[in-house]
Amino acid sequence: MISFGPVPSRRLGKSLGVNNIIASKTCSYACVYCQAGRTHIKTIKRDIFFKPEMIYRDVEKHISLLPPDSYPDYLTIVSNGEPTLDINLGRTIEFLQKTGIPVAVITNASLLVLDQVRDDLCRADLVSLKTDAADDKIWKKINRPDKNLDFENHLKSLLLFSAEYKGILCTESMIIDQLNDSPDHLERLAGIVKNINPRTAYLSVPTRPPSEKWVKMPDAGKLNTAWQIFSKKGINTELLTGFEGSETGSSGNIYEDILNITAVHPLREDSLLRLLEKNSADFGIVESLISQKLIKTVMYLDKKFFIREYHLSRNKSGNK
Ligand code: SF4
């Protein structure tokens, strides 16, 4: 239930996902474009989720079941929420590194203000920091942070981490139509990213069903402008505008694979069909998961996606 994939990653090659949060989506943000749906528990309080030993055992077993051509390039801690909310993150990273596979963490960077979070992340081989907004107003519009977070402190902590971290540092900025795609905002955002000094700054667009239906992709012209603005500042910038592909790895348990992958990544129909084919499984499994209300279908950009359905069992107020 903890590990899934490997899934093809636009940044990391074959990425075996490790979901260290799992429970109803728990995050310090409630981003309008979130692909994991609405934030059920919005918090900045770090907590205990799984024991690092248990995560390691789950990942080790998963790896042992993979065919050689699915051996992962990265173990990627990418959660159903924000991975740094896990108080045991640092130990989990160290356990996972025993596999000999590099460990990446995809974080919204909001908790970098905490010394312990920066210490934990410093153990990872690659860290990707979310940087969508250049000012407090846009930050609140897009990321809808927990009320205890402060934008100026957040900016300072990004620079502090950048100075401390010795691994591969990336940033990822989601560009959204009418929200953060004006040339003025992009100039200021590029200035912030330049100071973070990532190996690569990725500019992405919402290619999966967003939490808020009104979220739209910027048109190609605006995306090109964004790339030009970042690149002119001397930042190594890449656009992430495509679908990752449909080569989704399998643990051998198709039922769990579908549930685990859809908890973090909506699965495009062609990927799901490929996964079924690889496991000699038929579509009845998917129909059964839908009828049990464990997954559901959504249309986005004329494509059908399958996403996980969560039934709230904890704090229901969270997000909005
Ligand atoms: S995109 Fe990431 S940071 Fe934003 S709400 Fe979703 S899980 Fe949290």
Side-chain angles (χ1 to χ4, degrees), residues 107-119:
T107 172
N108 69 18
S110 65
L111 299 186
L112 290 177
V113 287
L114 302 175
D115 294 347
Q116 189 56 53
V117 168
R118 293 197 310 281
D119 284 352

Side-chain angles (χ1 to χ4, degrees), residues 222-258:
K222 284 181 175 168
L223 204 54
N224 179 51
T225 302
W227 188 87
Q228 300 288 353
I229 288 171
F230 271 63
S231 297
K232 269 189 193 147
K233 289 205 186 293
I235 305 167
N236 176 33
T237 309
E238 289 186 19
L239 293 178
L240 295 174
T241 55
F243 179 61
E244 288 87 342
S246 59
E247 286 299 321
T248 299
S250 168
S251 69
N253 183 334
I254 183 68
Y255 187 88
E256 287 208 351
D257 279 345
I258 294 172

Side-chain angles (χ1 to χ4, degrees), residues 25-39 79-83 106-110 130 132 142-143 174:
K25 191 185 141 198
T26 306
C27 193
S28 47
Y29 282 178
C31 302
V32 292
Y33 58 78
C34 184
Q35 63 186 22
R38 296 199 164 186
T39 299
S79 312
N80 184 37
E82 170 50 33
I106 312 289
T107 172
N108 69 18
S110 65
K130 184 184 294 301
D132 299 334
I142 295 179
N143 302 120
M174 183 70 84

Side-chain angles (χ1 to χ4, degrees), residues 175-199:
I175 309 299
I176 305 164
D177 188 43
Q178 306 290 328
L179 279 186
N180 61 352
D181 62 349
S182 73
D184 166 62
H185 179 262
L186 290 167
E187 279 286 350
R188 288 183 289 126
L189 184 59
I192 290 168
V193 171
K194 170 88 179 161
N195 288 335
I196 295 171
N197 192 26
R199 179 177 292 192

